[in-house]
């Protein structure tokens, strides 16, 4: 069944596999969202936060990956969104939490090994396709 879009008709069976790296032209069949933001534009958007010396409870080493630390008294969850629209073999996150993390789990990858960088700071890595949810248990 064909879907109507602003760019015309697309065949849902012709959408590139999200587990494979594809050419930019093929990404047009995967999404209509922009996936390539120049570093200069990203730096301009982030400049006020960086200049403020604000405490960032979660840091990701990969551009265009959205990571938010959502805390509760039992743990925290980190929803991850990959806006590169390409599978990433490894992203690394550093999280600072109000309590000591005892265990980290991903809905796609299960238990995630981590290193402690401080009493309440952990660093861990995982692959990311499109989305994931990471649970930090206190």
């Amino acid at each position: 069944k064909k879907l109507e879009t602003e760019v015309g008709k697309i065949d849902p069976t012709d959408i590139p596999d999200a587990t494979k790296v594809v050419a930019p032209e093929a990404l047009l069949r995967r999404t209509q969202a922009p996936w390539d933001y120049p570093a200069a534009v990203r730096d301009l958007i982030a400049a006020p936060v960086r200049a403020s010396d604000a405490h960032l409870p979660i840091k990701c080493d990969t551009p265009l990956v959205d990571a938010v630390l959502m805390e509760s008294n039992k743990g925290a969850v980190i929803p991850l969104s990959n806006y590169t629209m390409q599978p990433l073999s490894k992203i690394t996150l550093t999280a600072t939490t109000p309590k000591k993390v005892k265990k980290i789990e991903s809905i796609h990858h299960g238990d995630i090994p981590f290193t402690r960088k401080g009493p309440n700071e952990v660093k861990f890595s995982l692959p990311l396709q499109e989305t994931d949810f990471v649970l930090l248990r206190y």
Side-chain angles (χ1 to χ4, degrees):
K1 186 175 181 181
K2 301 269 183 188
L3 298 174
E4 293 291 331
T5 68
E6 294 88 40
V7 293
K9 295 180 181 181
I10 61 169
D11 180 353
T13 61
D14 190 33
I15 296 172
D17 184 348
T19 64
K20 296 187 173 44
V21 175
V22 297
E25 299 79 27
L27 288 177
L28 291 171
R29 295 193 319 270
R30 191 180 285 167
T31 183
Q32 292 182 18
W35 61 83
D36 188 18
Y37 290 92
V41 173
R42 294 191 315 267
D43 290 343
L44 181 65
I45 292 168
V49 174
R50 289 188 181 125
S52 74
D53 281 334
H55 168 70
L56 302 175
I58 186 80
K59 296 175 188 169
C60 181
D61 73 339
T62 307
L64 301 175
V65 171
D66 187 26
V68 178
L69 185 74
M70 302 170 71
E71 299 174 289
S72 78
N73 59 356
K74 293 184 179 180
V77 68
I78 304 169
L80 297 171
S81 296
N82 177 0
Y83 294 113
T84 71
M85 301 302 159
Q86 302 279 17
L88 300 168
S89 60
K90 179 182 171 185
I91 65 167
T92 300
L93 298 146
T94 304
T96 305
T97 57
K99 296 181 182 178
K100 185 177 180 179
V101 172
K102 295 179 181 173
K103 184 177 184 179
I104 299 179
E105 303 170 74
S106 153
I107 63 166
H108 291 295
H109 306 289
D111 289 347
I112 302 290
F114 64 95
T115 57
R116 201 167 301 286
K117 300 202 40 100
N120 295 349
E121 186 176 54
V122 292
K123 185 175 184 177
F124 59 97
S125 299
L126 69 157
L128 180 63
Q129 284 186 19
E130 295 169 319
T131 62
D132 202 345
F133 289 88
V134 177
L135 179 62
L136 283 64
R137 295 189 186 272
Y138 299 152

